[in-house]
Amino acid sequence: MNRLFSSSAQAIRRREFNAMAAASLAGSVCKADGIASKNDFRLNYSLASCLYGYTDLSVILPEVAKTGATSIDIWPMVHGNQREQIDRMGEDTFAGLLRKHNVTLGCLTQYRLGPFGLGKELSFAKRLGCPLVVTGGKGPKDLSGNELKKAVAKFAQQMKPHLDQAAECDVTIAIENHGNNLIDSPDSLKWLVELCDHPKLGIALAPYHLTQEPTAIAELIRDLGPRLSVFYAWQHGMGSTEKLPKEQELLQMPGRGDFDFTPLVDALRTIHFTGPTEIFMHPVPRGVAILETPEAVTAEVNRARAYLEGCLNA
């Protein structure tokens, strides 16, 4: 197999081994295979600003701690408009709001800019101390087999200068498996991490966009290992492209419907995942809050979080 940027399966296995060894040393009680015990592992929650629609950041930031999160993921229009709010208020004012509410800027989501247009956003992230920028892949769609491998290899090569810039800014670019994209399938994700071992290339995993088979998604999480940078606690439910009654739209949220997150959480424990977990869904139309008031949004996030915490202890 041709590998770009000195990638190799052995290197991936070494990183997985080191991550598991660190988990073993960190826990006072561990399983025989080095996986941290249930009492040792925690999910690190981050709150997506777009769940609140176009609500002002001054209203959203006090909600972060209420949801059990410590950081915020800032979204731009059309899903939210909090990134544009920062431009209007200025970086210093925004930084002051973060300090006031004891919140860190955990992620910037920028699908509109795409993976090759993140230059200014990477510099912005550096100034604000943000470690992650999430975007989608770029290339032909609906490929499989060797054609998919070739397209992913080309994308990996094209990403190198952008990843080098990300390294200069100490920011990881996480590629989401977004639907209708080159990087949208388990194979495309596995090829990407195999063909590009740049330390600033990560994966933002969205179960919503995958076949809804928890055991298969859990295996993918294990395959991605330390390359997993963001985990969206997000299921497909009845989808997010057509307007549905609210109780059906909310089926995207963890703990609603039949999708079982327990295998996924177990897999996150196996790889000792320390990145952000975002409880997530998309409303219809985009740009509205998932529920009518900020208090209701926070309550729904907390309901989903209580379900995930139950999965941790199952």
Side-chain angles (χ1 to χ4, degrees):
M1 178 186 298
N2 292 326
R3 295 174 175 84
L4 304 178
F5 318 149
S6 301
S7 64
S8 69
Q10 288 183 343
I12 292 172
R13 286 194 291 270
R14 282 197 300 271
R15 288 193 295 271
E16 290 173 343
F17 176 83
N18 290 339
M20 292 178 66
S24 177
L25 290 173
S28 58
V29 179
C30 297
K31 298 178 182 178
D33 58 5
I35 300 169
S37 71
K38 290 183 178 181
N39 291 332
D40 295 323
F41 181 74
R42 295 290 183 271
L43 295 173
N44 298 312
Y45 294 101
S46 185
L47 185 64
S49 69
C50 62
L51 295 179
Y52 296 82
Y54 286 9
T55 301
D56 286 349
L57 275 165
S58 61
V59 175
I60 297 173
L61 288 173
E63 301 300 305
V64 174
K66 298 176 188 177
T67 67
T70 58
S71 67
I72 190 164
D73 175 5
I74 293 293
W75 283 66
M77 296 175 67
V78 294
H79 297 83
N81 70 345
Q82 288 75 38
R83 181 63 183 84
E84 289 80 6
Q85 288 183 38
I86 296 171
D87 286 339
R88 290 196 296 271
M89 73 174 66
E91 293 177 21
D92 290 344
T93 299
F94 175 59
L97 282 174
L98 291 174
R99 290 192 296 270
K100 177 181 178 181
H101 297 289
N102 195 27
V103 175
T104 61
L105 178 56
C107 183
L108 295 163
T109 295
Q110 280 289 0
Y111 294 105
R112 183 175 57 190
L113 295 178
F116 308 144
L118 295 172
K120 291 182 179 179
E121 200 70 358
L122 293 172
S123 297
F124 172 81
K126 179 181 180 180
R127 294 194 298 273
L128 273 293
C130 177
L132 278 168
V133 175
V134 170
T135 191
K138 188 77 170 179
K141 308 166 188 176
D142 301 320
L143 301 180
S144 62
N146 196 50
E147 291 303 312
L148 175 62
K149 174 186 173 183
K150 290 179 180 178
V152 173
K154 180 179 179 180
F155 172 64
Q157 184 64 53
Q158 290 172 324
M159 280 299 296
K160 188 178 186 304
H162 307 282
L163 293 168
D164 288 344
Q165 182 181 3
E168 293 173 0
C169 297
D170 197 22
V171 175
T172 294
I173 298 175
I175 304 297
E176 189 204 332
N177 58 300
H178 200 285
N180 198 32
N181 191 276
L182 168 66
I183 308 299
D184 66 353
S185 66
D187 283 346
S188 65
L189 291 168
K190 288 185 280 189
W191 278 122
L192 183 58
V193 299
E194 177 69 16
L195 294 168
C196 176
D197 71 348
H198 197 292
K200 292 302 182 182
L201 187 284
I203 298 298
L205 186 65
Y208 173 94
H209 293 294
L210 299 170
T211 301
Q212 300 295 279
E213 297 177 358
T215 55
I217 298 174
E219 185 61 30
L220 176 60
I221 289 170
R222 295 186 183 94
D223 288 340
L224 295 173
R227 305 300 296 278
L228 182 62
S229 298
V230 182
F231 175 71
Y232 296 103
W234 182 24
Q235 63 193 21
H236 190 270
M238 296 184 69
S240 64
T241 59
E242 298 180 1
K243 186 61 180 175
L244 298 169
K246 184 55 66 175
E247 62 270 17
Q248 294 178 2
E249 187 175 88
L250 287 170
L251 289 174
Q252 299 171 64
M253 294 289 277
R256 294 183 180 270
D258 298 329
F259 188 89
D260 183 9
F261 274 84
T262 302
L264 282 66
V265 170
D266 284 343
L268 294 172
R269 180 187 288 115
T270 297
I271 67 170
H272 201 63
F273 179 65
T274 59
T277 292
E278 291 193 21
I279 294 168
F280 197 77
M281 66 168 285
H282 277 316
V284 178
R286 303 296 191 260
V288 302
I290 65 168
L291 288 166
E292 291 186 356
T293 67
E295 294 79 11
V297 174
T298 296
E300 174 60 20
V301 171
N302 278 329
R303 183 209 55 75
R305 180 166 62 96
Y307 164 77
L308 292 173
E309 293 299 309
C311 293
L312 278 173
N313 298 311

